Amino acid sequence: MTTSKASPDKPKDLRRRAQTQLKSRTASPEKISPEEAQFLLQELQIHQVELEMQNEHLGQTQAELETALTRYTDLYDFAPVAYLTLDNRGWVLQANLTAARLLGTERSRLVQQPLASFIQSEEDKQKFWAYWVAMIKGQMAPPLELHVQGEGEAKVAVQLDSLLVPDAAGRPQVRTCLIDVSALRRAEESRENQLHFTDTLLETIPSPVFYKDASGRYLGCNRAFEEFWGKRREEVIGKDVYETGPKELADKYAEMDQELFERPGSQMYEWQVQAADGSKKEVIFHKASFLDADGKVGGLIGVILDITERKRAEENLAASYEKLNRTLSGTVLALSATVETRDPYTAGHQRRVALLVDAISLETGFSQEQCAGMQVLGLLHDIGKIVVPAEILSKPGKLSEIEFNLIKAHVQAGYDILKDIELPWPIAQAVLQHHERMDGSGYPQGLTAPDIVLEARILAVADVVKAMASHRPYRAALGIDQALEEISHNRGILYDPEVVDVCVKLFNGKSFQFD
């Protein structure tokens, strides 16, 4: 709605008209009585007070309007979104401070400039003008995204949205807002790059990888998964295990998946499956649950490791190991028998010592592997006697000092024979030390307790017990009781106290026998 401009004498005309109306309504002043004059004076005073009150209210309203305008201006200028008013040519009529900052200029330089001058590429300018023509024609136009020039020639991605609003004269004006979406686009680009990296990484993993949602339906997989199962990912995505495999396997998979969903974490188990080529595969499933944005279980990711060749290699290795053990046992027995053929009076001595050494070791807490080594030690502990003349070994009388020194040399000879053989046990060292004694009175080095290995301490006790209980060329058998008395009497002096206790317990409490 428009109004005409007031002429300069309009207030005078208004006063003249008011005076004319007043004369027509009231009598002449000389005809007014004192009572009427008094009444009129009072009415004038009342109207004066009313006018003063109205002026005061008008002033308050004016102040409130100015405060509201200031508040609106502040909200407009410092809004997080850029606001502009454009004329029908696309020139800026009004802009807030946010718009000026977004476009990297001052507000005074932005007003009366075409908005298109701040758009960077020609392609974006063409899109803007097509959008602008549609807006001016009153057509609905969806928000437009383009790049504008920001501060320091920076390229800023914005979303432009507009509303056609005619001005007071009916001319078209466009209220436009610009939203800076640069951070959003950078985040989307980063996310796309991360997804691309993840997809590439999954595709380069040689093992089948898959992931499912919390209901057990496949969300995706890699190329190795497709090749392993002979199914394209389009055939499995969105389906569960019952829709992609035989029921007997699906039951197992569903059971394990549900267990992982109920107890989030990681999971690993072995299973046998049939691959795409029909072959049976031994596999390990490695799976782990993952959480969604709300902290709830969102699904799982799994890797399938084909261990078929490893299993086959383990079986072959076990067979080879067993064969090697048999070969080693045969070799050890052959070596032991070679020594015993030179000393018929000690035939079977090493085998029986091996039995007692094994029993003591087991009772002491040795592992099965360590006990196997102790048996080898028992069978080979006198191998050095192969260098001692047979007539000395079987001499029925007392040995001379020279002969006894030759006998004592068998521990060094045994060590020299065994030291270069790679065995998983300290056989050579125990052979060298098995005649050492706790108090240092043994041979060949006169070692004391801290320097004697446990294997040699066990062998020393077993060797003494077996030797005393057996017949020798120079004496009759002394028997087990006297042998146990010997080691008990010298417990902690010549022999390890704990080993002695175990040995006595074996004979007295567990009825150990050599044969």
Side-chain angles (χ1 to χ4, degrees):
M1 179 176 179
T2 60
T3 59
S4 61
K5 291 186 177 179
S7 61
D9 58 346
K10 184 175 180 181
K12 295 180 181 179
D13 292 341
L14 183 62
R15 182 175 181 82
R16 244 186 331 264
R17 294 198 334 249
Q19 288 174 341
T20 301
Q21 289 185 17
L22 180 63
K23 287 179 180 180
S24 65
R25 294 178 184 177
T26 60
S28 60
E30 60 273 10
K31 295 181 179 180
I32 297 176
S33 66
E35 290 81 7
E36 290 176 328
Q38 181 68 28
F39 175 76
L40 289 174
L41 180 60
Q42 184 178 1
E43 284 295 310
L44 287 173
Q45 289 174 342
I46 291 172
H47 284 303
Q48 182 180 359
V49 172
E50 287 179 344
L51 287 173
E52 290 174 354
M53 293 174 64
Q54 288 176 357
N55 285 336
E56 183 180 355
H57 179 69
L58 184 62
Q60 291 175 351
T61 303
Q62 182 68 27
E64 290 174 357
L65 286 174
E66 290 177 357
T67 301
L69 180 60
T70 301
R71 185 182 301 114
Y72 165 76
T73 302
D74 290 342
L75 290 173
Y76 175 75
D77 272 339
F78 298 105
V81 177
Y83 291 112
L84 305 100
T85 300
L86 309 178
D87 64 15
N88 59 354
R89 302 170 301 162
W91 286 54
V92 179
L93 298 176
Q94 191 178 33
N96 66 352
L97 290 176
T98 305
R101 284 196 298 269
L102 178 65
L103 297 174
T105 186
E106 298 177 5
R107 179 156 50 183
S108 60
R109 295 181 179 179
L110 176 58
V111 175
Q112 296 303 321
Q113 292 292 325
L115 181 59
S117 65
F118 294 92
I119 299 174
Q120 285 198 331
S121 70
E122 288 300 322
E123 180 183 355
D124 278 355
K125 288 182 180 179
Q126 291 177 7
K127 290 194 297 183
F128 169 74
W129 286 123
Y131 171 87
W132 185 255
V133 169
M135 286 298 304
I136 294 299
K137 290 181 178 180
Q139 301 173 358
M140 293 296 296
L144 176 66
E145 188 167 316
L146 41 79
H147 292 87
V148 297
Q149 176 183 317
E151 186 175 2
E153 304 296 324
K155 183 179 180 182
V156 181
V158 297
Q159 181 177 290
L160 182 147
D161 204 358
S162 303
L163 177 67
L164 181 64
V165 181
D167 64 6
R171 294 185 297 268
Q173 285 187 349
V174 177
R175 302 278 193 267
T176 298
C177 69
L178 298 177
I179 302 174
D180 185 352
V181 294
S182 300
L184 177 62
R185 295 297 170 258
R186 285 194 297 270
E188 289 176 348
E189 183 180 359
S190 175
R191 179 175 176 274
E192 288 298 322
N193 290 338
Q194 184 63 39
L195 287 174
H196 178 69
F197 172 79
T198 302
D199 289 341
T200 304
L201 180 63
L202 285 175
E203 292 303 316
T204 56
I205 295 175
S207 298
V209 179
F210 61 92
Y211 41 104
K212 303 177 181 179
D213 62 21
S215 67
R217 294 188 175 276
Y218 286 99
L219 294 173
C221 61
N222 66 350
R223 186 180 299 109
F225 183 92
E226 294 179 302
E227 294 171 352
F228 186 82
W229 294 113
K231 294 179 183 291
R232 292 180 295 108
R233 64 192 69 191
E234 292 81 6
E235 298 178 74
V236 297
I237 292 177
K239 299 179 181 179
D240 60 27
V241 290
Y242 288 98
E243 298 172 283
T244 56
K247 184 179 183 306
E248 59 272 14
L249 287 179
D251 286 340
K252 176 66 176 179
Y253 298 158
E255 175 190 350
M256 300 306 291
D257 287 353
Q258 189 59 36
E259 180 181 306
L260 192 55
F261 292 146
E262 292 176 357
R263 290 188 292 276
S266 59
Q267 183 185 81
M268 182 179 71
Y269 59 93
E270 291 188 21
W271 201 247
Q272 187 181 75
V273 299
Q274 182 173 324
D277 59 5
S279 61
K280 296 290 185 181
K281 299 287 187 181
E282 298 286 341
V283 299
I284 292 179
F285 283 90
H286 284 275
K287 294 189 289 187
S289 58
F290 61 83
L291 303 180
D292 61 17
D294 296 326
K296 299 178 181 179
V297 175
L300 62 84
I301 183 167
V303 181
I304 304 173
L305 297 180
D306 184 354
I307 59 170
T308 307
E309 292 301 321
R310 194 189 81 183
K311 283 282 190 180
R312 187 176 294 118
E314 287 176 352
E315 292 172 359
N316 293 337
L317 182 61
S320 298
Y321 184 72
E322 180 61 29
K323 182 178 179 181
L324 182 62
N325 273 341
R326 290 196 299 269
T327 302
L328 177 61
S329 298
T331 302
V332 170
L333 290 173
L335 289 172
S336 178
T338 300
V339 175
E340 292 180 350
T341 56
R342 302 188 71 252
D343 184 7
Y345 290 99
T346 59
H349 169 73
Q350 294 188 117
R351 182 178 58 81
R352 292 183 179 89
V353 169
L355 291 174
L356 182 54
V357 162
D358 179 49
I360 294 174
S361 300
L362 188 62
E363 196 70 20
T364 303
F366 278 29
S367 66
Q368 185 176 357
E369 180 70 16
Q370 288 174 310
C371 288
M374 294 301 290
Q375 291 181 40
V376 173
L377 174 59
L379 289 170
L380 296 181
H381 75 278
D382 277 342
I383 192 172
K385 288 184 177 179
I386 199 169
V387 301
V388 180
E391 57 271 19
I392 296 178
L393 293 175
S394 59
K395 182 178 179 179
K398 183 179 179 181
L399 298 177
S400 66
E401 183 178 352
I402 294 176
E403 291 172 331
F404 186 57
N405 287 335
L406 288 173
I407 291 288
K408 289 196 294 183
H410 80 281
V411 292
Q412 183 65 50
Y415 173 79
D416 292 338
I417 292 171
L418 298 172
K419 66 179 181 179
D420 295 325
I421 301 176
E422 292 187 11
L423 294 170
W425 317 286
I427 302 296
Q429 189 177 13
V431 165
L432 180 64
Q433 295 180 2
H434 78 278
H435 279 288
E436 300 287 358
R437 296 296 179 255
M438 304 287 283
D439 61 358
S441 61
Y443 63 88
Q445 296 172 299
L447 302 178
T448 56
D451 299 318
I452 305 172
V453 297
L454 180 57
E455 290 84 355
R457 299 183 196 186
I458 294 174
L459 178 57
V461 170
D463 191 33
V464 167
V465 170
K466 179 59 185 71
M468 291 184 65
S470 303
H471 178 76
R472 286 292 182 264
Y474 49 86
R475 62 159 173 79
L478 300 176
I480 290 296
D481 292 340
Q482 192 169 341
L484 296 179
E485 183 181 349
E486 158 65 19
I487 61 173
S488 298
H489 180 72
N490 288 292
R491 177 184 181 275
I493 301 172
L494 302 181
Y495 313 110
D496 185 289
E498 293 182 6
V499 175
V500 169
D501 292 344
V502 171
C503 183
V504 172
K505 179 182 176 182
L506 283 172
F507 282 97
N508 293 339
K510 297 196 174 184
S511 303
F512 175 83
Q513 293 182 351
F514 282 114
D515 295 316

